[in-house]
Amino acid sequence: DTAVSQTPKYLVTQMGNDKSIKCEQNLGHDTMYWYKQDSKKFLKIMFSYNNKELIINETVPNRFSPKSPDKAHLNLHINSLELGDSAVYFCASSQTLDSTPQYFGPGTRLTVL
Amino acid sequence: AQSVTQLGSHVSVSEGALVLLRCNYSSSVPPYLFWYVQYPNQGLQLLLKYTTGATLVKGINGFEAEFKKSETSFHLTKPSAHMSDAAEYFCAVSDRGAAGNKLTFGGGTRVLVKP
């Protein structure tokens, strides 16, 4: 069973569109994260949620809005997509706020044309 | 601000040879340090971590890493490479006490294992 899953795996869209990426973890963890991997492969944290509550919001444009309907899901909605949003987005989870993310999802490669 | 530098974006080793992946970090406070592995078409998985105590830490699949404060390094090693070790490896540092365990990653090192 996949611990952290993301859909879709690939997303190609036009500038200006709105898109969502979904993430689910079946580990019973309290904390979930979104990371962005740039073209040089550096991963950078965007958001973290603990029990559906926003904990970290790292200087991310307002066009990015995470939503956590329950603690097993953390979705990422992006409005008015820009070329610079092209990247691989990874979801992760950890048991608690203070513990280390053990598993990341397989990533969603977003390409904005 | 913290940062992580991984020397060498690609490393090629022969099966059975030593695997050595280099990681240096900068941090204004004593860090927590991590290595993650990403196999093809999969997400990242935690390989090992250093928080406190013994500076030599052992992880899964025969990997280990040593925290050297004087050298600000956390190099990853495995005595004998397997074909299954072919993957991308990421070093990361975390701010101690930071809310939400914020990780800063290096750019990754892709390991190729030759038969």
Side-chain angles (χ1 to χ4, degrees):
Chain A
D1 266 351
T2 305
V4 182
S5 59
Q6 294 177 228
T7 53
K9 196 170 167 66
Y10 299 95
L11 188 51
V12 181
T13 188
Q14 300 287 331
M15 261 175 41
N17 283 351
D18 303 338
K19 289 292 177 188
S20 292
I21 307 172
K22 293 179 187 286
C23 177
E24 177 181 0
Q25 53 97 1
N26 62 6
L27 298 162
H29 287 174
D30 286 345
T31 310
M32 295 184 72
Y33 310 82
W34 278 109
Y35 278 80
K36 179 180 179 180
Q37 186 180 44
D38 64 23
S39 57
K40 294 188 177 176
K41 296 244 179 116
F42 287 95
L43 284 100
K44 194 171 177 187
I45 192 165
M46 299 173 71
F47 301 102
S48 75
Y49 266 73
N50 188 62
N51 271 321
K52 304 193 298 173
E53 182 187 346
L54 179 66
I55 303 297
I56 291 177
N57 181 346
E58 280 288 298
T59 324
V60 177
N62 291 340
R63 300 182 292 103
F64 289 79
S65 53
K67 284 190 171 45
S68 183
D70 54 62
K71 75 175 195 179
H73 295 85
L74 180 62
N75 304 324
L76 184 65
H77 188 76
I78 315 169
N79 288 330
S80 305
L81 278 155
E82 299 177 358
L83 293 176
D85 297 333
S86 295
V88 183
Y89 293 84
F90 287 95
C91 178
S93 71
S94 63
Q95 194 156 6
T96 66
L97 197 56
D98 297 322
S99 53
T100 306
Q102 187 167 4
Y103 295 104
F104 284 62
T108 296
R109 183 176 292 277
L110 171 65
T111 304
V112 182
L113 304 173
Chain B
Q2 298 175 306
S3 68
V4 175
T5 302
Q6 292 184 237
L7 283 174
S9 58
H10 291 79
V11 165
S12 182
V13 298
S14 297
E15 196 174 14
L18 171 73
V19 180
L20 169 61
L21 305 182
R22 298 179 190 276
C23 172
N24 288 89
Y25 69 90
S26 71
S27 176
S28 56
V29 296
Y32 289 161
L33 294 158
F34 310 86
W35 276 99
Y36 284 84
V37 59
Q38 184 181 22
Y39 297 107
N41 298 314
Q42 294 184 31
L44 284 77
Q45 180 184 355
L46 182 64
L47 203 51
L48 49 76
K49 66 180 178 183
Y50 167 79
T51 53
T52 57
T55 55
L56 181 65
V57 290
K58 295 186 187 299
I60 59 173
N61 301 337
F63 283 92
E64 62 184 36
E66 187 170 12
F67 169 55
K68 291 189 177 178
K69 185 179 174 182
S70 60
E71 297 176 10
T72 60
S73 69
F74 190 56
H75 301 332
L76 180 71
T77 59
K78 181 173 179 178
S80 176
H82 272 208
M83 296 300 290
S84 59
D85 294 326
E88 186 121 30
Y89 294 80
F90 292 91
C91 182
V93 62
S94 169
D95 219 349
R96 285 193 179 201
N101 209 340
K102 200 163 64 173
L103 296 172
T104 299
F105 283 85
T109 299
R110 185 172 294 278
V111 172
L112 173 66
V113 181
K114 298 178 292 186

